[in-house]
Amino acid sequence: MRHRDEDSGVQTLMAARLKQPGFLRGGLGILIGIAFSALLTWVVRSSTGHSTFHHYLSSEAILTVSLIAAPLAFLVGLGGFDYWFYWAAGKKTRPEDHSSHGAYTWKDYFRINTDHKVIGIQYTVNSFFFLLVGGLIAMLMRAQLAQPGSHFVDANTFNGLFSVHASLLIFLFIIPVFAGLGNFVIPLMIGAPDMAFPRLNALSFWLLPIAGLMMLGSFFAPGGAFADGWTAYAPLSDTAPVGQTFFSMAVQFAGASSIMTALNFLVTIITMRAPGMSFFRMPLLVWANFATSLLVVIATPFIAASQFFILLDRGLHFNFFNAAKGGDVLMYQHVFWFYSHPAVYIMMLPGFGIISEVIAVKARKPIFGYRMMAFSLLAIVGLGFTVWAHHMFTSGMAAWIRIPMAITTAIIAVPTGIKIFSWLATLWRGVLHLDTPMLFALGFLTTFTLGGISGVMLAMIPFDIHVSATYFIVAHIHYVLFGGSLMTIFAGVYYWFPKMTGRMFDERLGKWHFWTTFVFFNLTFAPMHILGLEGMPRRVSTYASQFAGLNLFISLASFGLGISTLVFLYNMVTSWRGGPKSVSNPWRALTLEWQVSSPPPVFNFDRLPTVVGGPYEYGVPGAVHGIFAPTPAAAGSGVLREPSR
Amino acid sequence: MVAAACAAIAIAIGIVISYLIHWFPVQASTQAKNTDRLYHVLVIASIPIFVLVVSVILYSVWQFRMRPGEELKDGPPIHGNTRLEVFWTAIPTVLLLGLVGYSFVVLKENEQGRPAKEVQIQATGEQFAWSYTYPPSVTGGAPLKSDQLYVPLDQSVYFNIRAKDVIHAFWIPAFRLQEDAVPGITTHWRVTPTRLGTYPVVCNLLCGLGHSLMRSKVHVVTQQQFHSWVAGQMSASAGGAASSTGSSG
């Protein structure tokens, strides 16, 4: 205090920076959050006659409360809530001056930014970071599994590795990367200047790195990372070390992010379509995100609930899942899967949308059976809520539930089949441009068909009873989520890379990436079907010696798969930095996002689009999807048509 | 025509290969036989669908790929075909309902009601081992506790499955049967072993640190051997041996 005068200059600067939204104020928020948590824990524990600072259990309590309070305080510090606080307090809100639109340096990606194009890139890059981490974890797992009885990692670490692997790739990669691509593309596709709720959009992004770091941070928790799978079945998760709490809370943040974005998509798609953009003129990616968002807003609260149950069981002994105290163990699984089965479609439908865009443009033909494509998405949304207990055929639930769930599970393959056949018919007699996005789309069609077929097999109860929770399931889920979702994500990233960055990727490296991914993917995951049928359980750090040969083969193939990702990474980084500049519409596509410059103007459309036809009218002479209002300068000089077909 | 012939040949080869691949562990129960039959039906139904999809892709890549000079060419503006769309909605629906119907037939075969004569055994999972209780109906005296699983050949065996701590899954791959062992409830499965031998018993639901090693054996023996093993265990425990475990393999 005595040095106040000397330090006042520095202090004023510091104080000013601490008042500004940003990472510094966010860091202060974390400290305040932790202090608050310690205080609250002390008050509650002492008032109920518990000691606070003498027992390790109390520090676990502080940690649990901190995991809720510190991230929220960080977001306040970062400025995620500033506008709403000013507004709620009756203070003068800053009028929207668009200062938070656009990104001019890399630093603009590290602050609250309300521009959907910036947020889309934030989402996508953040997701790919966690893809690399998740993939790296998979490499560690395969190193351990290369031979039986190896000691590359211990059992606890191994259980943590596969739990964090799945959680990161589901909650921090597949779900948000689709939201990221959608964030960038959908407002452009429907002719909107931004998403409906830009501030909510910014907040929804910043929840994600928090969730991801929390999951990764669990490795440093006492007792290690959460280690009972991404499914976190009770009662094992009730009694696990404190790392489990990191999972429970990370899911809350990732889930909140999902719900916010889904609401944003729904309102944007319903209310902000350009004149003339009727529902049946929307590109199928927009339909797909509409359908996905319906799933997200209805289903996600259920996983949030399931993890709150676990949290309450762990922290406050609610005994929801403690059978000895009247708890119901199977209830956890029902609530969990009521989200987590629809989540499979949350992780697939946006990919269907991407494939529809890519195949129509690259085959130079209209999508075959457009309306059935849209209706089949809605059919999947409806049926998606009626199949959850097929994850529980061997769980000990009432036997009769298996019968209707098996029927709906088989039937849900019908709308998916309609989509596959429609894509095939779209290829038929087209003019196929076999470049990287198209190769990934075609690769998706083959691998996803295999994932769909094994899915139908798993609907058959007697067969499922044998292979449930075996490596057959590991094979199936990877054929669906890697061979399915990730293939579509790669297709989409290559397809929109010129639009997002304004530069072209290296086509030759793209092809290398596709072929190495396709080959090593199949070599890695196809043999897992046989392992499961032969009797190898999943989630094991060692196995019977009879499985040694196939496991070594799988491990070697998986390292190849890991290396293939480096090709992708190198291509993306170098092309973004120094690739050749892209024209606005390199694929000669009709949808609106390609009718603006690459990258698009800060407010998307300098001239307002009016939609006059379907999105995929390839081969129809003179057809356009949208026309653009004359610029003020060119007003009166007639209709300007942007599409350069 | 050539392409269609190629596809037909690929389907035939696929089906032959599906029979040559050694998919499963040995069949050691009537249920295993039924389930394997179901699996083969599923594979045979799946191969034509997969070959169809791949054939159309390969044929399109071969015939319809862009050739030099076609950079600006578009395909014909075909928007759909209602008949075709009805066809590929209806046929898979019928096929899928047929398959799921057949799976119910197999399920019913596998889960037939209680026969007149049946051995009941209680299997209890705890971290990280299985233990078994043979009730008085089997031992003719006090219940017998053991960490060994012996079952008689060609006789229906009904397992009551319980868990002491967390969820486990009681899985015998050679029987193609499993069910979770759930704290607070008793679950079941019924099997008729049909092949003498020793097969793995595997915990198939993550139950903690020792899950990977929670494996043991089931011994399928003749009915006579089964009863003499039970009698031997009973006399061993009655004869003052504190534990009946680990005495025979």
Side-chain angles (χ1 to χ4, degrees):
Chain A
M1 295 300 269
R2 281 181 295 146
H3 301 293
R4 229 182 76 181
D5 288 314
E6 296 98 288
D7 293 344
S8 65
V10 182
Q11 282 189 352
T12 320
L13 187 67
M14 280 296 283
R17 285 188 64 191
L18 278 175
K19 277 184 184 170
Q20 290 290 322
F23 277 100
L24 201 63
R25 204 176 76 174
L28 181 69
I30 290 177
L31 294 179
I32 293 172
I34 293 171
F36 168 81
S37 305
L39 184 71
L40 181 71
T41 309
W42 176 71
V43 168
V44 171
R45 283 188 74 90
S46 8
S47 65
T48 50
H50 293 83
S51 65
T52 304
F53 296 108
H54 306 299
H55 194 276
Y56 79 98
L57 276 180
S58 55
S59 56
E60 203 167 286
I62 295 172
L63 184 57
T64 302
V65 182
S66 297
L67 285 174
I68 304 169
L72 288 175
F74 168 76
L75 288 171
V76 171
L78 195 66
F81 296 91
D82 274 16
Y83 182 92
W84 297 314
F85 283 165
Y86 283 128
W87 183 82
K91 284 188 189 167
K92 192 164 174 283
T93 52
R94 284 163 294 151
E96 182 54 270
D97 60 357
H98 306 301
S99 60
S100 51
H101 265 68
Y104 303 95
T105 73
W106 62 270
K107 285 180 185 165
D108 287 336
Y109 290 102
F110 288 87
R111 60 183 179 82
I112 296 277
N113 197 314
T114 55
D115 185 337
H116 78 95
K117 297 184 289 302
V118 177
I119 294 171
I121 287 174
Q122 286 176 324
Y123 255 101
T124 309
V125 173
N126 179 68
S127 303
F128 271 98
F129 169 76
F130 285 108
L131 170 72
L132 295 178
V133 176
L136 207 62
I137 291 174
M139 300 292 97
L140 297 177
M141 283 152 60
R142 286 317 313 180
Q144 163 73 13
L145 292 173
Q147 51 185 357
S150 77
H151 296 285
F152 182 73
V153 292
D154 61 45
N156 193 36
T157 311
F158 185 83
N159 290 358
L161 287 176
F162 66 69
S163 304
V164 176
H165 164 82
S167 307
L168 283 181
L169 292 181
I170 289 169
F171 296 111
L172 269 302
F173 177 63
I174 299 180
I175 293 174
V177 81
F178 279 134
L181 290 171
N183 232 310
F184 191 98
V185 174
I186 282 181
L188 287 162
M189 269 189 164
I190 63 171
D194 203 324
M195 295 279 276
F197 305 119
R199 295 183 197 90
L200 193 68
N201 205 12
L203 184 63
S204 74
F205 165 71
W206 283 100
L207 293 167
L208 285 173
I210 290 172
L213 293 177
M214 208 178 272
M215 285 180 183
L216 279 180
S218 71
F219 277 111
F220 302 102
F226 54 96
D228 25 26
W230 79 279
T231 48
Y233 271 19
L236 188 60
S237 51
D238 270 2
T239 51
V242 71
Q244 192 61 43
T245 307
F246 285 68
F247 174 79
S248 296
M249 279 317 300
V251 166
Q252 306 300 341
F253 285 103
S257 165
S258 268
I259 294 173
M260 287 178 191
T261 303
L263 281 171
N264 221 338
F265 277 140
L266 285 176
V267 177
T268 307
I269 293 168
I270 292 170
T271 66
M272 293 178 67
R273 282 165 291 124
M277 178 72 90
S278 62
F279 259 64
F280 286 111
R281 283 179 180 167
M282 294 194 313
L284 285 168
L285 179 71
V286 182
W287 267 106
N289 271 273
F290 182 77
T292 307
S293 301
L294 286 174
L295 283 171
V296 169
V297 292
I298 300 169
T300 311
F302 284 83
I303 193 170
S306 73
Q307 296 314 309
F308 276 130
F309 289 151
I310 296 287
L311 210 58
L312 292 169
D313 262 12
R314 293 173 55 81
L316 300 168
H317 303 290
F318 269 51
N319 294 329
F320 286 121
F321 308 123
N322 182 350
K325 303 273 185 181
D328 185 345
V329 173
L330 289 182
M331 179 60 88
Y332 174 83
Q333 296 172 31
H334 281 294
V335 178
F336 177 84
W337 287 114
F338 195 80
Y339 164 76
S340 295
H341 191 80
V344 175
Y345 298 103
I346 292 169
M347 291 185 271
M348 201 58 254
L349 297 191
F352 288 169
I354 291 172
I355 293 304
S356 294
E357 302 302 318
V358 172
I359 284 187
V361 171
K362 298 290 174 187
R364 310 307 302 167
K365 270 185 69 198
I367 279 286
F368 193 95
Y370 170 94
R371 284 192 182 226
M372 280 302 273
M373 288 295 247
F375 288 139
S376 59
L377 287 168
L378 296 180
I380 291 172
V381 171
L383 283 169
F385 283 104
T386 65
V387 299
W388 78 89
H390 69 212
H391 296 270
M392 300 169 60
F393 282 164
T394 63
S395 69
M397 67 179 180
W400 71 269
I401 308 174
R402 301 176 302 175
I403 303 298
M405 292 282 173
I407 296 171
T408 50
T409 305
I411 289 300
I412 203 168
V414 172
T416 313
I418 290 172
K419 301 194 78 72
I420 301 243
F421 297 134
S422 298
W423 287 318
L424 292 178
T426 308
L427 296 177
W428 198 256
R429 293 180 60 198
V431 182
L432 271 56
H433 294 235
L434 296 169
D435 51 8
T436 307
M438 185 60 153
L439 286 177
F440 273 103
L442 298 181
F444 156 82
L445 282 179
T446 49
T447 47
F448 182 72
T449 300
L450 283 173
I453 286 173
S454 58
V456 167
M457 288 179 163
L458 291 170
M460 308 300 160
I461 302 166
F463 176 66
D464 183 83
I465 285 175
H466 174 55
V467 295
S468 184
T470 66
Y471 257 80
F472 191 91
I473 302 294
V474 180
H476 165 69
I477 197 68
H478 284 93
Y479 265 87
V480 173
L481 293 185
F482 194 133
S485 309
L486 185 51
M487 289 280 188
T488 72
I489 291 163
F490 281 138
V493 166
Y494 282 110
Y495 180 71
W496 282 294
F497 185 84
K499 185 55 63 185
M500 294 173 96
T501 65
R503 292 176 185 276
M504 288 302 287
F505 56 84
D506 185 328
E507 177 61 30
R508 205 172 55 90
L509 285 177
K511 287 206 172 79
W512 268 101
H513 175 219
F514 169 74
W515 285 110
T516 48
T517 303
F518 186 76
V519 169
F520 285 117
F521 163 80
N522 284 297
L523 291 179
T524 303
F525 293 106
M528 290 186 186
H529 290 107
I530 296 180
L531 279 182
L533 292 167
E534 287 279 4
M536 177 166 162
R538 66 172 174 179
R539 296 174 172 175
V540 289
S541 58
T542 184
Y543 45 84
S545 53
Q546 66 179 109
F547 306 121
L550 270 179
N551 269 293
L552 180 61
F553 180 84
I554 290 169
S555 285
L556 293 176
S558 77
F559 298 145
L561 190 57
I563 290 169
S564 78
T565 311
L566 298 180
V567 180
F568 167 75
L569 193 68
Y570 176 80
N571 193 1
M572 290 295 105
V573 171
T574 54
S575 301
W576 199 348
R577 286 167 61 102
K581 290 248 191 277
S582 167
V583 295
S584 63
N585 193 358
W587 316 129
R588 297 188 300 119
L590 286 176
T591 45
L592 293 179
E593 83 272 24
W594 295 104
Q595 315 313 323
V596 296
S597 62
S598 301
V602 173
F603 296 103
N604 294 356
F605 297 96
D606 295 335
R607 294 175 299 153
L608 284 179
T610 302
V611 175
V612 295
Y616 307 118
E617 299 294 304
Y618 302 102
V620 181
V624 285
H625 177 44
I627 55 173
F628 287 80
T631 52
S637 67
V639 177
L640 286 177
R641 289 195 169 188
E642 188 81 352
S644 51
R645 292 185 50 250
Chain B
M1 271 319 284
V2 178
C6 287
I9 292 168
I11 292 171
I13 293 174
I15 290 174
V16 170
I17 290 176
S18 81
Y19 269 99
L20 294 180
I21 293 179
H22 180 68
W23 297 105
F24 287 104
V26 290
Q27 280 178 1
S29 71
T30 49
Q31 284 79 1
K33 211 174 151 202
N34 296 337
T35 300
D36 292 3
R37 194 178 70 230
L38 170 66
Y39 176 76
H40 278 290
V41 169
L42 292 172
V43 168
I44 289 169
S46 304
I47 287 172
I49 293 172
F50 180 67
V51 171
L52 176 77
V53 170
V54 173
S55 302
V56 172
I57 293 172
L58 291 179
Y59 185 80
S60 302
V61 167
W62 174 42
Q63 284 291 309
F64 307 129
R65 72 181 182 279
M66 184 192 75
R67 290 176 171 78
E70 293 185 335
E71 282 79 5
L72 298 178
K73 196 182 162 201
D74 282 352
I78 305 165
H79 286 86
N81 180 323
T82 309
R83 267 191 182 178
L84 200 54
E85 287 168 48
V86 168
F87 176 79
W88 69 42
T89 309
I91 296 296
T93 308
V94 171
L95 177 68
L96 287 162
L97 287 178
L99 288 175
V100 83
Y102 175 57
S103 81
F104 293 154
V105 172
V106 174
L107 183 69
K108 198 155 173 19
E109 283 174 7
N110 280 0
E111 298 185 350
Q112 280 166 4
R114 177 189 296 268
K117 200 177 158 210
E118 182 169 72
V119 170
Q120 287 214 9
I121 300 172
Q122 183 182 308
T124 305
E126 65 186 299
Q127 290 169 328
F128 299 96
W130 292 104
S131 60
Y132 306 94
T133 307
Y134 301 80
S137 61
V138 174
T139 61
L144 168 67
K145 280 193 157 188
S146 170
D147 65 353
Q148 311 239 359
L149 179 57
Y150 277 74
V151 293
L153 183 74
D154 291 329
Q155 193 173 352
S156 180
V157 180
Y158 189 71
F159 285 101
N160 292 300
I161 305 160
R162 292 187 173 177
K164 276 190 182 165
D165 34 40
V166 299
I167 306 176
H168 306 269
F170 184 60
W171 182 34
I172 300 183
F175 294 169
R176 314 286 188 272
L177 290 170
Q178 70 169 312
E179 185 91 349
D180 289 359
V182 183
I185 60 174
T186 305
T187 59
H188 318 274
W189 52 254
R190 174 174 280 127
V191 66
T192 310
T194 54
R195 189 175 184 276
L196 293 174
T198 302
Y199 309 106
V201 176
V202 183
C203 174
N204 197 25
L205 202 110
L206 179 62
C207 58
L209 276 181
H211 169 61
S212 310
L213 295 169
M214 191 166 160
R215 301 191 296 255
S216 56
K217 300 277 181 210
V218 54
H219 306 271
V220 180
V221 294
T222 63
Q223 302 189 10
Q224 204 177 0
Q225 285 169 326
F226 175 72
H227 289 296
S228 58
W229 177 81
V230 169
Q233 294 292 309
M234 289 298 284
S235 61
S237 58
S243 165
S244 64
T245 59
S247 54
S248 66

